[in-house]
Amino acid sequence: MKILVTGAAGFIGFFVAKSLLESGHTVVGLDNINDYYDINLKFDRLKELGINRNEAEVYNSISTSSKNSQFSFIRLNLEDRENLPELFKINSFDKVCNLAAQAGVRYSIENPEAYVDSNVVGFLNILECCRNYKIKHLVYASSSSVYGLNEKIPFETSDNVDHPISLYAATKKSNELMAHTYAHLYGFKTTGLRFFTVYGPWGRPDMAMFLFTDAIVNDKPIKVFNNGKLERDFTYIDDITEGVVRIIQKPIADKSDKENLFKIYNIGNSKSVKLMDFITAIEESLDTEAKKDMYPMQPGDVEKTWANVDDLIADYNYQPNTPIKEGVDKFVSWYKDYYL
């Protein structure tokens, strides 16, 4: 198959593109390489995929991987209503995996316009291209943040998600509604994935795994919010990638099967881990005790996340099985190789 992976220079997109290539598919990666976090990390991910930085820096120019002729990359904004349809027109994609988005719950409070541009306008453009260029299946990133103040544990896709507490969450909820509309009106399959806290090698520098490790290594205090009384469904990147790729590769339902044209799944580890236990695992891996500065809950944060993934197990035999200690050790090993 020929698959478009947006957000290919991002954390999850990089691994999904890599896995699809290893499975023999042709992949076109797209990313705007914004500076929300260190662009050098993004360019280095692309380098791992065989894309030269000098070529990747140029907007709207397709470069081919030096490592795998089945992979090419284009720097492009999803908001670009002229060049995005042109990319679809010349490539005849079978499926699209949209992982591009303006990420970050807390940053959405400071810079709301970026989220509407990328996550709402950009997603509409993806939907329009899927409609106009007869894409069979759109797999797209939603987020566990849509559950907002939901107190029912574990989170289930049948739960009410009408009370987001960050603009980021609201944009992801809007994506689900927009995808439902397009699936209903135009008859192509859409699958939304509510990602829970993803961590692992090549991970984002704004996420807890990186922030804690980096601070401890550099003998700086870590910021522990809600005085440590937080729990997260930490999910290792390999488990996430396997789930996403299974969904992309599985044959789609018959078009007459309206119920299956629109799907939403939780994708997580199906376990809630105490933040302090997560910190302990990092301390043990680094053989260093963290200096901890305790802070109150931050705006936009929730106290606990926990994914019910029964539907994903039933439909795709999804099996997250990476223990926290193993995942943390792999991240720390990568961090030392990359930064030290």
Side-chain angles (χ1 to χ4, degrees):
M1 288 188 294
K2 191 170 193 178
I3 303 159
L4 172 66
V5 177
T6 73
F11 178 31
I12 300 174
F14 161 65
F15 278 96
V16 168
K18 188 168 178 284
S19 180
L20 288 169
L21 290 166
E22 289 168 353
S23 297
H25 300 291
T26 299
V27 177
V28 175
L30 177 153
D31 206 293
N32 69 353
I33 316 179
N34 68 29
D35 61 359
Y36 169 64
Y37 63 80
D38 182 13
I39 62 171
N40 294 308
L41 181 60
K42 298 181 180 184
F43 282 118
D44 283 345
R45 292 184 188 126
L46 290 174
K47 184 179 177 182
E48 288 289 304
L49 293 170
I51 299 296
N52 178 279
R53 177 167 183 163
N54 291 335
E55 294 180 354
E57 286 178 331
V58 181
Y59 277 95
N60 198 33
S61 175
I62 295 177
S63 49
T64 303
S65 169
S66 61
K67 294 183 178 180
N68 188 330
S69 60
Q70 295 291 96
F71 182 66
S72 55
F73 175 79
I74 184 168
R75 187 177 190 182
L76 189 64
N77 286 305
L78 295 186
E79 306 97 286
D80 189 334
R81 282 202 176 100
E82 181 180 344
N83 290 305
L84 187 66
E86 186 65 21
L87 181 71
F88 274 75
K89 182 179 178 180
I90 65 176
N91 277 282
S92 300
F93 299 117
D94 296 298
K95 297 185 179 182
V96 174
C97 181
N98 183 56
L99 300 172
Q102 178 56 60
V105 169
R106 293 160 193 158
Y107 187 60
S108 70
I109 296 170
E110 304 165 20
N111 193 5
E113 293 87 355
Y115 288 78
V116 173
D117 290 344
S118 180
N119 301 5
V120 180
V121 175
F123 189 67
L124 174 63
N125 292 342
I126 287 286
L127 288 168
E128 276 290 285
C129 287
C130 288
R131 169 172 80 97
N132 292 324
Y133 294 96
K134 311 302 180 189
I135 302 302
K136 300 184 183 77
H137 188 185
L138 167 65
V139 179
Y140 64 95
S142 184
S143 168
S144 62
S145 67
V146 301
Y147 289 105
L149 295 173
N150 183 31
E151 294 180 353
K152 178 177 155 294
I153 296 292
F155 297 165
E156 299 185 22
T157 54
S158 58
D159 293 344
N160 184 295
V161 289
D162 292 335
H163 304 284
I165 58 171
S166 70
L167 184 67
Y168 171 72
T171 64
K172 288 301 186 179
K173 170 63 176 174
S174 77
N175 288 174
E176 296 179 1
L177 294 171
M178 293 160 74
H180 182 277
T181 302
Y182 270 71
H184 174 75
L185 288 175
Y186 305 115
F188 66 87
K189 185 173 175 64
T190 67
T191 302
L193 300 175
R194 292 175 178 170
F195 290 107
F196 283 68
T197 311
V198 188
Y199 74 100
W202 296 99
R204 279 168 39 196
D206 62 320
M207 298 293 282
M209 177 79 254
F210 186 101
L211 292 170
F212 291 161
T213 302
D214 191 63
I216 296 168
V217 166
N218 290 290
D219 198 30
K220 295 178 180 178
I222 64 174
K223 294 181 178 180
V224 183
F225 292 102
N226 202 33
N227 296 303
K229 296 175 183 175
L230 293 172
E231 295 184 37
R232 292 288 181 267
D233 194 327
F234 291 104
T235 313
Y236 189 64
I237 184 61
D238 287 0
D239 294 330
I240 289 286
T241 302
E242 183 183 355
V244 175
V245 169
R246 285 188 185 200
I247 291 166
I248 294 170
Q249 292 186 140
K250 184 173 180 178
I252 63 171
D254 187 274
K255 277 198 172 186
S256 62
D257 189 355
K258 290 285 187 183
E259 184 183 342
N260 284 318
L261 283 177
F262 172 79
K263 286 290 215 178
I264 296 286
Y265 294 101
N266 287 333
I267 182 163
N269 197 41
S270 196
K271 296 180 184 68
S272 200
V273 176
K274 289 183 173 63
L275 180 63
M276 298 308 291
D277 292 343
F278 188 65
I279 292 170
T280 297
I282 299 171
E283 290 174 323
E284 290 175 351
S285 188
L286 289 169
D287 195 25
T288 306
E289 186 174 350
K291 299 173 182 174
K292 304 174 185 73
D293 286 350
M294 297 299 184
Y295 287 84
M297 181 76 93
Q298 286 209 122
D301 264 1
V302 297
E303 191 166 312
K304 184 174 183 176
T305 66
W306 180 2
N308 180 316
V309 296
D310 289 350
D311 288 352
L312 201 54
I313 292 170
D315 292 352
Y316 291 96
N317 195 29
Y318 173 66
Q319 296 177 337
N321 56 15
T322 306
I324 284 293
K325 180 170 178 12
E326 180 183 330
V328 167
D329 284 348
K330 286 182 177 179
F331 173 84
V332 168
S333 177
W334 169 81
Y335 175 92
K336 288 177 176 178
D337 287 342
Y338 187 81
Y339 286 101
L340 302 182

